[in-house]
Amino acid sequence: MSELHLQDKFLIPFFRTELGYQEVKANTVTSSLIIEEDLQTFISTAELNQKPYEILLKKYNNNAEKLLAELIELIQERIASSRNMALFINANKSVTLKNIKLHLFYTDDSVIHDSSLFEQNIFSVIQELPYKYRYKNKQIFSFRPDICLFVNGIYLGYSELKSNFTNQTARKNGRGKVIKDYFDAVKVYYETFEKNSYLSEKEKDYYRKDLLKIFEKAIHITTTDIAETYVIRTIDHFFEEVITTCREGKYDREDYQKKVLKVFKPYPL
């Protein structure tokens, strides 16, 4: 079974029919890892958001684009200051804009609404999302996760798929691919930003969080084949080790890879 067959014939239909995800096109995702259409739909039509959104829209003189842009800016600030998306969502189920509260996510534990609110969340899955990072009008890093997951337009994490048909497994090749991609991204950060003497420490920190967000902000990164799935939730714990390796000019992934493999555990844990 090829990766595309596993993806198209098994995983994507499972996400759609069993988990209630909708499949959307990769070109709907912005560079900030947000599906603006999903976010706009949720803040304007979800049950507890409708009236607050109408009031808030009037404060923006019915300029829905400006409202959405400022909301996204607020979300980005909150994500940047959060360790990962799990902590972000837990602390930001709702946000306040111009003194009006908007919900970003409905939980499944409402005493009044039971599960009816949770079912209004918009879960989306995207195949082959091209993650490209540009600096000074030049692309400095890119890779293409096989499957990315979003809720109400907000990024959750990604999965790397491997095919037994080509004698590749999640355990060996999938985990190795995730480890390599993160290493390569940190290397790009080091060469482009950390070594840049014209940047302040604050600017370097910003670019680190922004470039590595698809890895470090993910609730979890998974890799799966037809038989097994492996999960890692703490890949950012290895940033210092990778950056130290880069500073020493070694660019050797071997020791780093061995340590990551120890925490890249099979699911269920």
Side-chain angles (χ1 to χ4, degrees), residues 14-25:
F14 175 78
F15 275 108
R16 288 200 304 255
T17 60
E18 300 298 326
L19 300 181
Y21 278 70
Q22 62 176 7
E23 183 181 3
V24 300
K25 299 297 183 182

Side-chain angles (χ1 to χ4, degrees), residues 183 186-187 190-191 194-195 240-253:
F183 187 97
V186 175
K187 179 182 174 183
Y190 169 72
E191 294 178 337
E194 185 175 285
K195 290 173 63 177
E240 287 300 329
E241 180 159 355
V242 177
I243 202 73
T244 298
T245 301
C246 293
R247 288 167 185 159
E248 293 173 351
K250 296 178 181 178
Y251 298 126
D252 182 4
R253 295 198 306 269

Side-chain angles (χ1 to χ4, degrees), residues 182-235:
Y182 182 66
F183 187 97
D184 290 347
V186 175
K187 179 182 174 183
V188 167
Y189 163 76
Y190 169 72
E191 294 178 337
T192 308
F193 301 114
E194 185 175 285
K195 290 173 63 177
N196 190 334
S197 59
Y198 293 101
L199 295 177
S200 67
E201 292 304 314
K202 183 177 181 180
E203 288 172 322
K204 291 177 183 179
D205 184 60
Y206 165 79
Y207 284 116
R208 177 217 160 158
K209 291 177 179 177
D210 197 40
L211 169 60
L212 302 179
K213 60 182 178 288
I214 195 167
F215 303 99
E216 297 187 344
K217 297 301 182 182
I219 290 179
H220 52 60
I221 299 171
T222 65
T223 179
T224 188
D225 54 37
I226 196 65
E228 292 184 301
T229 295
Y230 284 78
V231 182
I232 186 169
R233 297 187 174 93
T234 55
I235 201 165

